Amino acid sequence: MDNSIRYDSPNMGGVTLSAQVGMNDPRKTITASTFAIVYARDRIRAGLGYFRQSTASNYDPATQRYDPNRLKTGNLTTLTGAFNYDFGAFTLMTMAGQSRYDLYSLGERVSSTEWSIGASVPLGQWVLKPSVAGSNSKRLPKSDIGAGMEAIYNLSKRTSLYAAYSYSYYGELLHGQPVKSSYIFATGVRHFF
């Protein structure tokens, strides 16, 4: 989060607590906060996190237009659990959560469930990272889903080359919008100082 302060506790038997607050608007008020507990020991890494963010919109669902004189505020809250396990040959990474938010285009508060599953597979100097993720809301007629693959080639302990490809399918169909999909390809160099 921009303009934020974060605290991470010392490791207490594999358990770490963290909190972060962000001041993202010109009034410098707290507009976002997150709290998490993480357990990491041996091959297991698991955590539970809570995120809350203030939102604002001048969209009027009655007229389906944006009215600069009618600013509405709301909140986005997310509760997420994650579990990773290192099998040696690869690491399995999973996540599940639920979000509640003010959807201004519908003029109501809705909820959605999110999930993801992925892996990190080291192969010599290479690391492959396949993943798939999705979200679903009972208020919306379709689900969102995406899949991706990243290939990393380690040149040294600090420098690596990477290439990534992802495909996403957007199925909200709000206001008669057609189903949309997107493709992203990225490549680059990472260096850790």
Side-chain angles (χ1 to χ4, degrees):
M1 291 183 285
D2 294 335
N3 303 317
S4 64
I5 299 171
R6 175 173 170 162
Y7 171 77
D8 293 314
S9 76
N11 189 317
M12 301 170 286
V15 176
T16 304
L17 305 174
S18 66
Q20 184 176 11
V21 295
M23 297 164 282
N24 295 325
D25 72 6
R27 298 169 297 173
K28 302 299 182 185
T29 57
I30 295 175
T31 57
S33 58
T34 182
F35 306 93
I37 179 170
V38 175
Y39 174 79
R41 197 166 213 174
D42 299 326
R43 297 180 174 220
I44 296 174
R45 182 176 175 86
L48 185 66
Y50 174 79
F51 174 78
R52 181 182 184 278
Q53 181 177 354
S54 299
T55 59
S57 175
N58 56 17
Y59 181 83
D60 184 355
T63 62
Q64 297 186 5
R65 295 183 179 180
Y66 292 91
D67 184 351
N69 300 316
R70 298 187 62 183
L71 183 67
K72 298 179 294 295
T73 59
N75 290 295
L76 161 67
T77 59
T78 301
L79 181 65
T80 304
F83 180 82
N84 299 356
Y85 189 84
D86 185 355
F87 287 92
F90 69 96
T91 300
L92 177 69
M93 298 170 284
T94 64
M95 180 280 292
Q98 184 178 62
S99 296
R100 297 179 183 275
Y101 52 96
D102 295 290
L103 190 58
Y104 301 106
S105 58
L106 294 178
E108 62 184 67
R109 189 164 179 81
V110 299
S111 64
S112 65
T113 56
E114 295 91 26
W115 59 271
S116 70
I117 185 168
S120 179
V121 186
L123 300 168
Q125 288 182 268
W126 289 90
V127 179
L128 300 180
K129 294 185 175 183
S131 63
V132 62
S135 67
N136 185 51
S137 173
K138 292 180 180 179
R139 183 61 184 87
L140 303 175
K142 295 288 184 178
S143 300
D144 293 343
I145 193 162
M149 170 67 83
E150 181 180 17
I152 302 169
Y153 183 77
N154 293 307
L155 297 172
S156 66
K157 290 182 178 180
R158 295 185 177 184
T159 307
S160 62
L161 304 175
Y162 70 89
Y165 174 81
S166 70
Y167 167 80
S168 298
Y169 172 93
Y170 305 93
E172 285 95 346
L173 300 177
L174 294 177
H175 306 304
Q177 295 173 354
V179 173
K180 295 181 180 180
S181 61
S182 67
Y183 307 84
I184 298 174
F185 176 76
T187 185
V189 179
R190 289 192 186 103
H191 181 76
F192 296 94
F193 295 92

